Amino acid sequence: MVKIQWKLLELPWRLKASAIQSFQWLRLLRQTLFYNHFTSTTVIMETAAEPMFWTVDRFAKYLGPIFMTAVVCLVSSVIVVAYTCLLPQEYTKGVARCIFHLTFGHWLLVNVVFNYVMAAFTNPGNPPYEYPFPGFMYPLNIAHEVWQHTATATAAPYKHDENDLEMDYVDAFFHNAVLYEFILASGVCVAISLLLVWHIKMVSYNETNIEIHINKKEKARLKALGIKFKNPYHHGVLRNWKIFLGLYDGRTIWRHILLPSTHPPEGDGLRWPKAQYKYDRKKGILQLL
């Protein structure tokens, strides 16, 4: 009896030891069959993303027109909803408020259309050598709302006349249209805000996405050698923004940034002006000239 009790108490430890042994055996088997000295996390991620790269390479020429058409349709739908649903409501709250929304909204519209057209059609140059689509849900929501009002009107005809039914239909359409625009605008606002924060950081230090990783590795390498790294293209935050926005040769924010402008950026897209530093012997640091 005592011997059986001792074995029962020992069972959890035996199971643990067996599990560890099985795990080590499987790990040894994996290393034996698949070990590669040059394998790294980067290689694994690139291999896993290979199907996506293949898809992009094969269908990239179709994705551009598809996305452009989608953006045009979405922007057009927002404009239609703004004119048919939102502006009449703003007009009832005051003429001055309606004029402000018209002015500000059309300024945004002109800049969005102009910059999108320029981005889509400007030649970038050449270097030296089983479920329904979510979009279907919006008309289905409208149809369901209309069906509800129609069923109510049929069940209780003494409560609704033809005018009431028409008003219910219009109210349902307006409600869904405003809700659609709110969700779309909110999603775009969040996405653009995140992109804006990231691009503000890049422009402030005059770096691209690739240069951020390159400079990070170079900074760590030089730090190990006791050398402080300086980005050769970092001219200071203010000058970096002036270069990025093209604010030179008399150009201003009011005329060339807030209003549509076709002024070209500085440089040829391949070679960029480098920052000049001088060594301060007293402080032992490099200072930007």
Side-chain angles (χ1 to χ4, degrees), residues 18-212:
S18 177
I20 293 176
Q21 185 178 4
S22 299
F23 174 77
Q24 292 177 345
W25 181 82
L26 290 174
R27 184 179 180 182
L28 178 62
L29 179 63
R30 183 183 68 85
Q31 295 285 3
T32 303
L33 297 177
F34 304 106
Y35 176 77
N36 188 335
H37 180 71
F38 300 100
T39 300
S40 63
T41 305
T42 303
V43 174
I44 295 175
M45 293 178 63
E46 290 180 353
T47 305
E50 189 63 30
M52 182 183 67
F53 296 151
W54 181 88
T55 303
V56 172
D57 290 340
R58 296 298 186 279
F59 301 101
K61 62 180 180 180
Y62 303 110
L63 295 178
I66 291 174
F67 289 151
M68 285 183 60
T69 304
V71 170
V72 171
C73 292
L74 290 174
V75 173
S76 301
S77 66
V78 168
I79 296 173
V80 170
V81 172
Y83 271 106
T84 58
C85 302
L86 299 180
L87 276 179
Q89 294 294 326
E90 294 299 327
Y91 182 77
T92 59
K93 298 177 182 179
V95 178
R97 184 168 177 170
C98 183
I99 293 175
F100 168 76
H101 281 279
L102 279 173
T103 304
F104 184 71
H106 282 83
W107 171 72
L108 286 176
L109 177 61
V110 169
N111 278 279
V112 167
V113 172
F114 172 81
N115 286 282
Y116 190 74
V117 170
M118 293 297 295
F121 295 101
T122 299
N123 186 1
N126 298 300
Y129 293 59
E130 195 147 52
Y131 292 96
F133 189 74
F136 294 154
M137 299 309 295
Y138 173 61
L140 289 178
N141 288 338
I142 296 179
H144 178 67
E145 192 75 21
V146 174
W147 174 84
Q148 284 184 330
H149 287 287
T150 305
T152 304
T154 305
Y158 55 89
K159 293 184 179 179
H160 292 272
D161 55 17
E162 294 182 358
N163 292 331
D164 292 334
L165 182 59
E166 183 177 356
M167 289 301 298
D168 289 338
Y169 175 80
V170 172
D171 290 341
F173 173 78
F174 275 30
H175 172 76
N176 285 278
V178 173
L179 183 61
Y180 156 79
E181 179 152 334
F182 173 77
I183 294 175
L184 178 61
S186 299
V188 172
C189 181
V190 171
I192 291 181
S193 297
L194 295 175
L195 284 174
L196 178 62
V197 171
W198 178 246
H199 282 79
I200 286 176
K201 179 180 181 296
M202 288 196 298
V203 174
S204 297
Y205 291 97
N206 212 2
E207 295 176 321
T208 62
N209 286 293
I210 297 177
E211 287 175 339
I212 288 177

